[in-house]
């Protein structure tokens, strides 16, 4: 070591020369890597749990190997653009489709699936669900996969026996405890609540927050007492979540308190010089301890006034069903149409929009979002979130009308709320809008996000309709130079992706496996 540090010119190395010193270092390295003192053998890992789901059809198993490796049939990399489909975006679709069929992952692909889920959080839910209970078993053996043990996705179904549930709850890992609580909650909501209540005070704040999510399923008045107690939790996030859940119970005491505060702040005013009724707003002047206990955050975000911040939190937690009686028996659409005095309209409508999303009230969402051909109303909240409250068919129909009226510049998030594959009406609307943008000489790069979304969401049956658009079009003047070639390339990639998605869908059909579900193709039992 001394000779290596000082140099062979100042200290004669043991090997007699610099080359001899390197030889000795190489020998010592091998010695250190290979040598191991004899020791008692450690315990063998428990066998992996059985996964009784049917195996993948062989063509689908081969496709999974290609997608995980990021290769197409011809070996093209996932990062290469041009006319080649983006394999990085096809993997999430493939996993979702495989889960819909109820297949299990091949055992020899579990490491690659866990690596993919570790690298991409957007894949985790579907990748861990597809990998199943064996992924959790494997994750215990590799520290790099420990993320799976704290994920609720891919966790095995909770035990049915009461004693087994108690044992898992007291001794299991977080994912196992969450699975046990969720399964018990679905079978017996009262028993699930009792299980959570028993250890609530000893749980970590972040775990308490996650466990509260289990109460969203079958939330009922029976949960109110527990959630009222959680309003006094030492964690601000837990208090806020408990208040949110209570506000989703229209008959809860918290909902009644918020309704009284909201109705005191917003009233129908027929006085003054106005010839038509309008809404008058008197926002809270202080955020006292009672408001804070009910989930109102006292400090507003930067750029937001305190009173408007407190008002919107109160209104969004109040039951929407109480407003018609308070405002002269008007329907939600008529209430939304009322003028609002003193510049409070945007704050009030935004709060109602958040309440519609929280309470899943389609009537109020429909009133606030308006007609698709109308300009996007100011202060009506996020149209994309309001759309999620509407039934899927209505959501797609509204978005198709919006795209037809306004184009694609503001439609990206709206399109993301629609069920996949898009309906024929919505698919036609998007393709028509893309063609109009191309013919108008628009910058093609501005629509790359919508193009990528179309690759994932268009019905594969639309591929043939794209054939005329894959030819290079003339570039209008003025326009982006080289745009014609880009548009042709993008439409070609879109058509190729749709055809590949159609092939993948056929590969996943049980009939393509020959005799259907049977022994695993990977040799496992």
């Amino acid at each position: 070591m001394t000779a290596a540090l000082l140099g062979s010119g100042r200290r004669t190395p043991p090997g007699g020369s610099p080359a001899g010193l390197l030889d000795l270092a190489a020998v010592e390295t091998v010695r250190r890597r290979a040598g191991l003192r004899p020791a008692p053998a450690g315990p063998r890992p428990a066998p992996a749990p059985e996964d009784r789901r049917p195996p993948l059809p062989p063509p689908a198993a081969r496709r999974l190997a290609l997608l995980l490796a990021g290769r197409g049939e011809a070996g093209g990399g996932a990062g290469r653009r041009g006319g080649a489909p983006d394999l990085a975006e096809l993997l999430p679709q493939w996993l979702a489709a495989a889960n819909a069929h109820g297949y299990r992952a091949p055992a020899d692909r579990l490491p690659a699936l866990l690596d993919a889920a570790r690298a991409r959080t957007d894949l985790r839910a579907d990748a861990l669900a597809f990998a199943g209970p064996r992924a959790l078993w494997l994750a215990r053996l590799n520290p790099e996969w420990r993320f799976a043990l704290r994920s609720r996705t891919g966790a095995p179904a909770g035990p049915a026996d009461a004693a087994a549930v108690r044992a898992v709850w007291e001794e299991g890992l977080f994912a196992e405890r969450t699975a046990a609580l969720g399964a018990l909650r679905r079978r017996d909501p009262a028993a699930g609540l009792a299980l959570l209540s028993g250890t609530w005070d000893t749980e970590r704040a972040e775990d308490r927050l996650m466990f509260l999510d289990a109460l969203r399923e079958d939330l009922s008045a029976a949960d109110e007492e527990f959630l009222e107690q959680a309003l006094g939790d030492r964690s601000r996030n837990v208090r806020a979540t408990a208040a949110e859940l209570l506000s989703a119970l229209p008959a809860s005491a918290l909902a009644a308190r918020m309704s009284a505060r909201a109705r005191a702040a917003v009233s129908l005013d027929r006085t003054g010089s106005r010839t038509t009724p309008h809404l008058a707003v008197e926002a809270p002047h202080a955020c006292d301890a009672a408001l804070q206990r009910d989930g109102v955050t006292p400090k507003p975000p930067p750029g937001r006034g305190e009173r408007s911040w407190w008002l919107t939190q109160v209104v969004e937690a109040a039951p929407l069903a109480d407003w018609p009686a308070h405002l002269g028996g008007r329907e939600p659409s008529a209430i939304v149409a009322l003028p609002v005095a003193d510049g409070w309209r945007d704050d009030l409508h935004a709060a109602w929009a958040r309440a519609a999303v929280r309470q899943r009230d389609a009537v109020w969402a429909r009133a606030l979002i308006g007609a698709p051909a109308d300009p996007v109303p100011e202060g009506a909240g996020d149209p994309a979130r309001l759309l999620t409250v509407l039934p899927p068919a209505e959501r797609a129909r509204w978005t198709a009308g919006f795209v037809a009226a306004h184009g694609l510049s503001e439609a990206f998030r709206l399109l993301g709320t629609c069920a996949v594959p898009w309906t024929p009406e919505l698919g036609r609307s998007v393709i028509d809008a893309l063609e109009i943008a191309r013919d108008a000489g628009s910058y093609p790069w501005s629509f790359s996000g919508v193009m990528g979304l179309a690759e994932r969401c268009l019905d594969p049956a639309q591929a043939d309709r794209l054939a005329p658009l894959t030819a290079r079009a003339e570039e209008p003047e003025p326009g982006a130079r080289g745009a014609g070639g880009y548009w042709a390339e993008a439409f070609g990639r879109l058509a190729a992706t749709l055809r590949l998605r159609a092939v993948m869908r056929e590969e996943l059909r049980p009939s393509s496996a020959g005799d259907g579900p049977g022994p695993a193709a990977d040799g496992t039992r």
Side-chain angles (χ1 to χ4, degrees):
M1 179 65 73
T2 305
L5 289 174
L6 297 179
S8 59
R10 299 181 60 186
R11 176 67 59 88
T12 302
S17 66
L21 175 62
L22 293 176
D23 288 342
L24 288 174
V27 171
E28 181 61 22
T29 299
V30 173
R31 219 180 251 129
R32 290 175 59 185
R33 289 179 178 176
L36 181 68
R37 293 181 180 276
R44 297 182 64 182
E50 189 172 5
D51 191 341
R52 295 183 176 275
R53 294 176 296 174
L56 282 171
R62 290 191 292 271
R63 179 70 59 188
L64 174 62
L66 292 172
L67 292 175
L68 288 172
R71 300 196 313 272
E73 295 288 4
R80 202 190 98 201
R81 297 307 283 160
D86 188 346
L87 298 184
E89 294 301 335
L90 289 177
L91 180 57
Q93 295 182 45
W94 189 96
L95 289 170
N99 285 331
H101 282 285
Y103 293 124
R104 73 166 179 261
D108 59 345
R109 299 301 170 198
L110 291 178
L113 278 167
L114 286 167
D115 281 341
R118 179 170 64 92
R120 291 179 56 181
T121 55
D122 63 310
L123 284 178
R124 284 188 184 174
D126 282 331
L128 294 179
F130 179 56
R134 289 182 168 188
L136 296 181
W137 174 86
L138 202 57
R140 293 187 182 93
L141 307 176
N142 185 346
E144 292 186 351
W145 298 332
R146 290 285 176 176
F147 71 90
L149 302 180
R150 288 196 60 82
S151 172
R152 295 188 301 166
T153 15
D161 178 72
V165 170
R166 173 61 61 179
V168 169
W169 184 249
E170 293 177 352
E171 303 171 9
L173 296 166
F174 177 78
E176 296 167 331
R177 298 182 71 209
T178 307
L181 176 62
L184 182 59
R185 178 74 181 176
R186 287 187 290 273
R187 291 196 307 270
D188 187 345
L193 180 63
L195 185 70
L196 181 57
S197 302
T199 61
W200 180 257
D201 292 336
T202 62
E203 302 289 353
R204 300 187 306 168
E206 56 266 37
D207 291 348
R208 292 198 304 276
L209 183 63
M210 297 297 289
F211 288 146
L212 271 186
D213 277 344
L215 301 187
R216 294 183 189 275
E217 287 192 84
D218 297 311
L219 184 68
S220 71
D223 303 315
E224 182 179 358
E225 181 180 355
F226 173 80
L227 291 172
E228 275 283 345
Q229 294 174 358
L231 290 176
D233 195 90
R234 56 188 179 274
S235 166
R236 183 174 57 118
N237 291 332
V238 172
R239 293 196 302 270
T241 302
E244 178 190 346
L245 292 173
L246 283 168
S247 68
L249 294 172
S252 69
L254 179 137
R257 294 192 297 269
M258 288 301 200
S259 179
R261 292 164 178 147
R263 286 182 281 113
V266 182
S267 59
L268 194 63
D269 188 355
R270 299 176 182 273
T271 62
S273 60
R274 298 179 178 86
T275 58
T276 58
H278 67 281
L279 295 178
V281 175
E282 184 65 30
H285 289 272
C287 186
D288 56 23
L291 265 180
Q292 292 183 46
R293 185 180 184 276
D294 284 346
V296 175
T297 304
K299 186 176 181 180
R304 185 76 180 274
E306 285 184 334
R307 295 184 66 200
S308 68
W309 174 240
W310 300 333
L311 171 75
T312 55
Q313 291 181 84
V314 168
V315 171
E316 70 183 75
L320 290 167
D322 292 351
W323 288 108
H326 177 60
L327 298 176
R330 289 172 171 81
E331 295 295 322
S333 57
I335 293 173
V336 170
L338 286 171
V340 183
D342 302 323
W344 286 104
R345 180 186 181 279
D346 288 358
D347 289 322
L348 183 58
H349 282 210
W352 276 337
R354 286 192 289 273
V357 174
R358 180 183 297 185
Q359 299 171 33
R360 313 306 297 171
D361 193 313
V363 176
W364 272 89
R366 202 172 285 121
L368 287 160
I369 201 171
D374 296 340
V376 179
E378 295 291 335
D382 184 353
R385 295 194 67 197
L386 286 169
L387 273 181
T388 64
V389 182
L390 303 180
E394 183 180 356
R395 196 183 312 161
R397 187 166 57 251
W398 194 96
T399 305
F402 183 92
V403 170
H406 303 286
L408 294 167
S409 59
E410 298 181 17
F412 182 78
R413 294 186 64 247
L414 304 178
L415 290 168
T417 68
C418 297
V420 179
W422 288 338
T423 62
E425 179 186 11
L426 178 56
R428 287 193 299 271
S429 182
V430 170
I431 293 174
D432 289 344
L434 287 169
E435 185 175 5
I436 290 170
R438 181 199 66 174
D439 294 343
S442 299
Y443 283 96
W445 305 277
S446 302
F447 298 92
S448 58
V450 174
M451 256 318 172
L453 200 59
E455 291 177 17
R456 301 191 293 273
C457 302
L458 272 174
D459 191 325
Q462 299 276 358
D464 292 339
R465 188 167 179 267
L466 292 166
L469 301 177
T470 59
R472 183 176 183 130
E474 295 183 5
E475 298 178 8
E477 293 290 345
R481 295 189 61 182
Y486 175 89
W487 280 111
E489 181 182 276
F491 281 124
R493 181 172 62 249
L494 176 56
T497 302
L498 295 183
R499 293 189 182 98
L500 181 54
R501 283 176 52 205
V503 171
M504 287 165 45
R505 186 167 59 184
E506 288 302 315
E507 291 172 345
L508 283 164
R509 292 187 187 278
S511 59
S512 66
D515 298 329
D522 55 22
T524 59
R525 299 181 185 179

